[in-house]
Amino acid sequence: MTEGGVESIPLNLEVSSLGKRVGSAELISKISFGVGNDGCFGIIGENGAGKTTLLRIITALVAPTSGEIKIRGVSPHKNRATALSNVTGFVGIPAFYSYMTAYSNLSITADFSHYPSREQIFDALEKVGLADEAYKKVGQFSRGMLQRLGIGLALLNDKPIIIMDEPTQGLDEAWVGNITKLFKEMKKNGKTFIITSHNFDFIVELCDKVLMLERGKKVYMGSLSDLLEFPYYFFLNCSPAEKVLDLISEMEFVHGSVKMDGGIKLNLEKDYANQLVKTLVENGCKIFEFSLKKYSVMDLISESRSKILEFGK
């Protein structure tokens, strides 16, 4: 395909008017979006929003009722082998043979035209912290270890597009950080991620754009920075409230404030937190609570979504 005499490169993923119905239930409703040739695209929403269903359709595990999908210009529902030759990852809980070791599982499930070398397998296991567990049967693995083994398999397959359904599920905070760092390095090397996650910090750190789903419908697509100026807010419980609000309105470093039950929600950079407290105390205000709060993925979809959108702009 050419444009203006120059050959154009197809998007890694194109989804056009995609729909999925089961009986009278509409699981996916006329969703369209595209994912470019690098970076990370996040799909977020509450349980039952359609995230996993969407990934299952993209990877040809489920057929759509309407619409079209193309992976690098090829439909996975018309030419599954060619389309998915560019894809690795997992949808749902990574599945392995429980009676076999981690090493054996990777050696037979890796998507290679020949068996991967011992060095390649151990390199993948090392990156996900499982090298010492290489010869342990997978049936003895915890949920988090299974998740890391699934990520290790994706690393071993070394495909340009990596699709993962809740990759941080079952991981402790330290390993969420390790995986975030690993994925960032892979992004720099040209890999494209398409992920679902309930972990807001993970989404903020990794994703360039997000698709927000609610009951199978697209309610937002774009960057998180367009939704929220900061991925956190400060909660202030103080008195007298009206005086505090008057003082806050004069502080240039406060980007927004919303009165809520029990206090005030503030939008400001962390570096100015001490200055805000000092100013309020010097003006005779009493502070009962001043704490940093983080948004969750659920906040973007839940009943408070409209408040967050208004607050963050």
Side-chain angles (χ1 to χ4, degrees):
M1 182 177 180
T2 61
E3 183 176 347
V6 179
E7 185 174 356
S8 62
I9 301 174
L11 293 173
N12 271 332
L13 175 66
E14 294 178 85
V15 177
S16 304
S17 300
L18 191 69
K20 177 63 180 178
R21 299 185 71 92
V22 177
S24 61
E26 189 173 40
L27 305 182
I28 299 293
S29 178
K30 297 180 181 179
I31 291 177
S32 299
F33 64 91
V35 179
N37 298 316
D38 54 35
C40 181
F41 186 84
I43 302 172
I44 61 177
E46 293 181 318
N47 290 331
K51 305 183 301 298
T52 298
T53 298
L54 179 56
L55 291 189
R56 288 174 65 83
I57 296 173
I58 290 171
T59 54
L61 295 173
V62 172
T65 305
S66 60
E68 187 177 28
I69 294 171
K70 288 185 178 180
I71 298 175
R72 292 198 164 186
V74 179
S75 168
H77 295 278
K78 295 178 181 178
N79 191 339
R80 189 174 190 273
T82 300
L84 296 185
S85 67
N86 294 303
V87 178
T88 188
F90 52 81
V91 180
I93 300 174
F96 295 99
Y97 297 104
S98 61
Y99 58 88
M100 296 176 63
T101 66
Y103 181 94
S104 296
N105 266 285
L106 293 194
S107 70
I108 67 169
T109 56
D111 184 18
F112 277 64
S113 58
H114 58 279
Y115 286 113
S117 68
R118 184 177 186 278
E119 289 74 19
Q120 288 173 315
I121 293 173
F122 267 94
D123 180 62
L125 290 172
E126 181 69 36
K127 287 179 179 176
V128 295
L130 293 174
D132 291 340
E133 314 293 338
Y135 298 113
K136 184 176 182 179
K137 289 185 178 180
V138 169
Q140 299 174 304
F141 276 19
S142 67
R143 176 71 176 84
M145 293 170 71
L146 279 175
Q147 200 78 354
R148 283 188 277 145
L149 187 61
I151 294 171
L153 178 59
L155 299 178
L156 189 60
N157 286 337
D158 193 27
K159 302 292 183 177
I161 305 169
I162 302 168
I163 295 177
M164 290 188 178
D165 190 13
E166 298 286 353
T168 63
Q169 190 168 333
L171 302 185
D172 60 28
E173 187 175 345
W175 266 105
V176 171
N178 291 339
I179 294 302
T180 302
K181 182 179 178 181
L182 176 63
F183 285 6
K184 281 183 174 180
E185 292 175 355
M186 295 171 69
K187 278 176 59 180
K188 290 180 181 179
N189 292 328
K191 302 295 185 185
T192 296
F193 286 88
I194 300 169
I195 62 172
T196 70
S197 182
H198 282 87
N199 189 315
F200 186 79
D201 290 342
F202 181 69
I203 290 288
V204 169
E205 284 288 323
L206 197 63
C207 293
D208 307 290
K209 289 186 178 181
V210 296
L211 168 67
M212 187 187 298
L213 295 179
E214 186 172 19
R215 297 179 181 178
K217 296 180 180 180
K218 179 173 73 174
V219 294
Y220 174 80
M221 193 185 76
S223 67
L224 281 173
S225 62
D226 290 338
L227 286 178
L228 297 170
E229 188 172 358
F230 302 107
Y232 58 83
Y233 64 92
F234 285 91
F235 175 77
L236 175 65
N237 181 3
C238 56
S239 69
E242 294 306 319
K243 181 178 181 180
V244 169
L245 286 170
D246 288 341
L247 289 169
I248 288 173
S249 67
E250 298 175 359
M251 299 178 185
E252 294 183 356
F253 55 82
V254 176
H255 298 268
S257 62
V258 174
K259 193 173 181 180
M260 56 189 297
D261 291 341
I264 302 168
K265 184 188 291 185
L266 299 170
N267 194 356
L268 71 152
E269 294 177 23
K270 296 176 184 177
D271 292 343
Y272 290 102
N274 290 338
Q275 186 176 337
L276 181 140
V277 171
K278 182 176 181 230
T279 301
L280 294 180
V281 171
E282 287 176 347
N283 283 273
C285 300
K286 293 182 180 180
I287 297 176
F288 305 108
E289 180 183 352
F290 183 65
S291 56
L292 179 70
K293 307 285 188 181
K294 290 184 178 182
Y295 290 115
S296 69
V297 168
M298 294 305 124
D299 288 329
L300 297 175
I301 308 292
S302 67
E303 60 184 358
S304 63
R305 172 167 45 112
S306 60
K307 296 178 183 178
I308 292 175
L309 294 180
E310 177 184 355
F311 180 70
K313 290 186 177 180

